[in-house]
Amino acid sequence: MSETASDRGASAPAGRRVAGILRSRPVLTLAMVALVWIAASLTSRGFGSYGHLRYLVELAAVIGIVAAGQTFVMIAGGIDLSVGAVITISAVGVPLLSWPWDPGGTAGVAGILVISVAIGAVNGIGVAYLRVHPMIMTLAMATLLQGALILVAGGSAVSVQSPAVVWLGNARPFGVPAGILLWLAVSAATLWVLHATRFGARLFALGANPLATLLSGVDVSATIVTVYAMSGLTAGLAGVLVLGMNGQGYVGIGDPYLLTSIAAVVLGGTSILGGAGTYAGTIPGAVMLVTITGLITVVNASAGWRSILFGSLILGLLLLSGRESRR
Amino acid sequence: MSIEAAGDRSLYWRVQLGRNHGARGLFAVVVLFLLLYAYLFPGLLTVEGFSKFSQTWFPLALTAMAQALLMLTGGISLAIGATVSLGAVIAAVTMTQTFGVAGGIAAVLATGLAVGALSGFVVVRLRLPAIIVTLASSFIIGGAALLVLPRPGGAIPPWFSTLLAGDTPVALGLLALIVLAWKLYLATPLGLTIYAAGENPVGAFRSGAPLDAARISAFAISGALSTLAGLFIAAQTGSGDPVIGQAFTLNSIAAAVLGGVGFLGGQGSMRGALAGSLLLAVMINVMFFLGLPPVAQYIAQGLIIVGAVALPHLAGRWRSA
């Protein structure tokens, strides 16, 4: 009875283990991505080229990093609807945080990450101590940030000067884009925290049964604040990456990432009700979403049709894989 | 006291008064804010001023009802804003065509019912969480609005605009009619099931309540209320705009929550949601007339929403400590 999540797989018989792997959501989502990629490269020329696939994964890195925080929050039974606004704040804010004594720009990036963490922590304080529902708290935070954005950016686009951000968006150490390397690092850290630390175990417990978790002596409020702060951190990180890849930050740059981060998490098999899931599913989920968006741009439709296709495809994918009985 | 007049009648009013219990504080705050508003801007007390004010409240009241209806069944919609936009563009495109204003109203209503029923079907029958379905459908509905009218345009017959959004409180009368219709709907089996579906779905199902039908029709009605709000906004502005409804997603949730409607279903009442929307409308108006910059408006709105939800909890804890 003392087995943990990490050694449960090893103790199961081989046959059951194979069946378990085939039934696991991360593997299924991965298979779906592979299927779509093979089909798309057979039908559309240029889709399967190494450069294009690398570009897709680079785009997926942004969604994947935001979705890491979203996975934490959702497993703990919450939801973060402010990630889009935090990404925008971060992308618009980095160019403002440049000082003459900081030619490399790293202090600016660090500063914006601290701000993002603080925003997330305020979300968490609202949810944990003021008992505001996560959806209300994070939506209200998004509204608040919208006001703050007008204050800091004044509605105009800002271009990036910080060398650190430019490097993150464009450098290719060892031929791999820095964004993908960052995503790898975030993924490794996320998986480790979720499945190999006490904190991760508490998140699952909190999502499954908050009352029991509280009664077993876990500091529930502190855990909730930490979880939202982590979501703020990943959203801020994603904002820096988007700014680096785009070269420009503008109001609304983060908006598309709200739905995609939630969809990536749910596609990957994490329950929106909390208590179950893994980031290992979110990773192929993020790649899947980017692939869909890529295919839609290939179709060359109007903005209205693109939006309809995007929504329908996400809905269709969720119908295929994301069904869960409610209550 | 007329409450003790006749047997049946007295029970009815006692139940109705009892349902005000949790919302009494809210009603007091609303009255207070209205008085403050009237004190700051005596123009509210003229017919024109009152009409204009009720017209700024009307679409918010409709969307608050649309959201509260879903929240009472244990659902939620993040597609209210997109549905409002869709209603606005359809009204602006159809009303100057062959079938005129009546045809336009029918088209707007039919679209709202269909869009809502479809989302409801996916949520209820295909068992996907409402928040994800409506988040995805907000893209589909918003895309449809862009297809109908890629950029602001279309037209509403001027006489219709004057009728709805002129210097007479027609909008308030319409709202009274809609509230009356809601009262009647609550007396039907589908209406009765709304609270049961939110409060105790398993129990409701076992006692044979038409759970799925009630939920799907709640989505359909909610869609129709949203597109009607869009129609009204189109009449107000005289044309259609495919993104005009965006703010209503958050504001409808905020109004319902301010009005004491809970997220878990079955808690709260429509009168609460209406009072919540009225409070929000007054606050937005006051901030506008005080000349606050948009920055302050956004920030104040965010703070007020969080405060309204957090204060009762804090007060309760302070009292028990």
Side-chain angles (χ1 to χ4, degrees):
Chain A
M1 283 294 113
S2 66
E3 62 177 16
T4 61
S6 54
D7 63 23
R8 195 185 298 150
S11 61
R16 235 202 297 157
R17 209 161 64 197
V18 171
I21 288 173
L22 284 180
R23 233 181 290 130
S24 93
R25 284 291 293 279
V27 176
L28 275 180
T29 317
L30 199 63
M32 216 147 73
V33 171
L35 214 68
V36 173
W37 275 25
I38 291 170
S41 23
L42 289 180
T43 48
S44 127
R45 222 162 356 115
F47 183 93
S49 70
Y50 172 70
H52 183 249
L53 293 184
R54 186 178 62 187
Y55 176 63
L56 281 185
V57 176
E58 201 178 344
L59 289 180
V62 181
I63 299 180
I65 291 172
V66 190
Q70 194 72 264
T71 308
F72 281 126
V73 175
M74 276 206 202
I75 284 179
I79 192 163
D80 190 346
L81 299 180
S82 69
V83 287
V86 175
I87 291 174
T88 309
I89 283 277
S90 153
V92 173
V94 170
L96 298 175
L97 293 183
S98 57
W99 303 283
W101 50 264
D102 174 34
T106 40
V109 171
I112 210 73
L113 290 182
V114 169
I115 292 175
S116 309
V117 169
I119 293 172
V122 171
N123 274 333
I125 289 169
V127 171
Y129 293 101
L130 302 181
R131 299 292 165 95
V132 181
H133 190 280
M135 215 142 47
I136 285 289
M137 186 62 219
T138 53
L139 262 182
M141 177 59 83
T143 313
L144 226 137
L145 292 180
Q146 211 175 340
L149 262 178
I150 301 175
L151 207 64
V152 295
S156 55
V158 287
S159 53
V160 60
Q161 258 106 37
S162 155
V165 178
V166 173
W167 181 85
L168 188 64
N170 301 295
R172 294 217 168 120
F174 320 114
V176 185
I180 297 183
L181 292 179
L182 180 66
W183 188 22
L184 282 176
V186 170
S187 303
T190 307
L191 284 171
W192 176 72
V193 169
L194 263 185
H195 299 295
T197 63
R198 281 195 215 173
F199 178 76
R202 279 187 206 135
L203 293 188
F204 283 96
L206 189 59
N209 192 337
L211 185 61
T213 313
L214 179 70
L215 293 178
S216 38
V218 173
D219 188 346
V220 167
S221 300
T223 312
I224 290 177
V225 174
T226 317
V227 129
Y228 282 92
M230 284 159 86
S231 177
L233 175 67
T234 56
L237 209 54
V240 174
L241 183 56
V242 168
L243 178 66
M245 284 163 61
N246 262 8
Q248 269 199 333
Y250 48 88
V251 174
I253 193 173
D255 292 351
Y257 295 104
L258 173 57
L259 174 62
T260 44
S261 75
I262 296 174
V265 175
V266 177
L267 272 180
T270 298
S271 162
I272 199 159
L273 303 174
T278 168
Y279 186 67
T282 310
I283 299 172
V287 179
M288 187 77 196
L289 284 170
V290 169
T291 312
I292 291 174
T293 334
L295 287 176
I296 291 173
T297 20
V298 169
V299 176
N300 194 17
S302 71
W305 277 115
R306 273 207 305 272
S307 180
I308 293 180
L309 270 175
F310 183 66
S312 321
L313 280 171
I314 287 182
L315 208 53
L317 279 174
L318 290 173
L319 280 175
L320 278 180
S321 67
R323 291 171 68 167
E324 55 182 312
S325 51
R326 300 184 311 156
R327 281 200 245 191
Chain B
M1 289 295 246
S2 64
I3 293 175
E4 283 117 26
D8 271 344
R9 183 80 66 72
S10 78
L11 183 65
Y12 176 78
W13 285 113
R14 218 178 300 152
V15 168
Q16 289 297 329
L17 284 177
R19 293 181 65 201
N20 285 342
H21 185 72
R24 235 172 256 156
L26 174 70
F27 292 153
V29 173
V30 170
V31 171
L32 208 74
F33 262 82
L34 273 177
L35 288 177
L36 177 75
Y37 186 43
Y39 172 74
L40 285 173
F41 310 100
L44 179 68
L45 300 175
T46 63
V47 177
E48 292 84 15
F50 182 70
S51 305
K52 285 285 175 250
F53 171 71
S54 66
Q55 284 155 18
T56 59
W57 175 36
F58 186 66
L60 189 58
L62 287 193
T63 48
M65 286 182 81
Q67 189 68 264
L69 180 54
L70 292 181
M71 284 168 69
L72 286 178
T73 66
I76 189 150
S77 175
L78 295 182
I80 297 262
T83 317
V84 170
S85 304
L86 184 63
V89 294
I90 286 183
V93 166
T94 53
M95 283 203 170
T96 46
Q97 300 300 310
T98 30
F99 296 107
V101 168
I105 294 175
V108 165
L109 265 179
T111 312
L113 284 173
V115 162
L118 264 176
S119 318
F121 181 81
V122 175
V123 171
V124 174
R125 282 299 166 84
L126 304 181
R127 297 199 169 280
L128 273 180
I131 174 168
I132 304 180
V133 172
T134 54
L135 198 52
S137 73
S138 74
F139 279 76
I140 303 176
I141 297 167
L146 277 176
L147 283 190
V148 175
L149 208 62
R151 57 191 62 80
I156 302 288
W159 66 266
F160 189 63
S161 286
T162 325
L163 174 72
L164 275 185
D167 287 339
T168 46
V170 173
L172 200 64
L174 285 179
L175 187 62
L177 280 182
I178 290 169
V179 170
L180 198 69
W182 161 250
K183 282 271 167 210
L184 294 178
Y185 183 71
L186 262 190
T188 66
L190 286 182
L192 276 172
T193 312
I194 289 174
Y195 275 90
E199 179 81 42
N200 186 350
V202 177
F205 178 75
R206 289 197 180 142
S207 31
L211 213 56
D212 285 6
R215 275 203 180 126
I216 294 178
S217 40
F219 269 97
I221 295 170
S222 155
L225 285 172
S226 309
T227 47
L228 276 182
L231 182 146
F232 182 80
I233 292 171
Q236 254 181 332
T237 56
S239 64
D241 180 342
V243 292
I244 200 160
Q246 270 173 355
F248 282 100
T249 303
L250 174 65
N251 282 348
S252 65
I253 299 178
V257 170
L258 276 177
V261 181
F263 268 100
L264 301 173
Q267 315 157 331
S269 61
M270 203 51 99
R271 65 189 70 173
L274 281 171
S277 69
L278 182 55
L279 185 59
L280 204 58
V282 173
M283 288 189 304
I284 292 173
N285 268 309
V286 167
M287 283 192 283
F288 180 75
F289 280 120
L290 286 178
L292 291 186
V295 185
Q297 288 189 31
Y298 279 123
I299 292 176
Q301 211 170 318
L303 288 180
I304 286 166
I305 293 166
V306 172
V309 182
L311 275 183
H313 169 74
L314 285 182
R317 207 159 54 174
W318 177 72
R319 223 173 284 143
S320 67

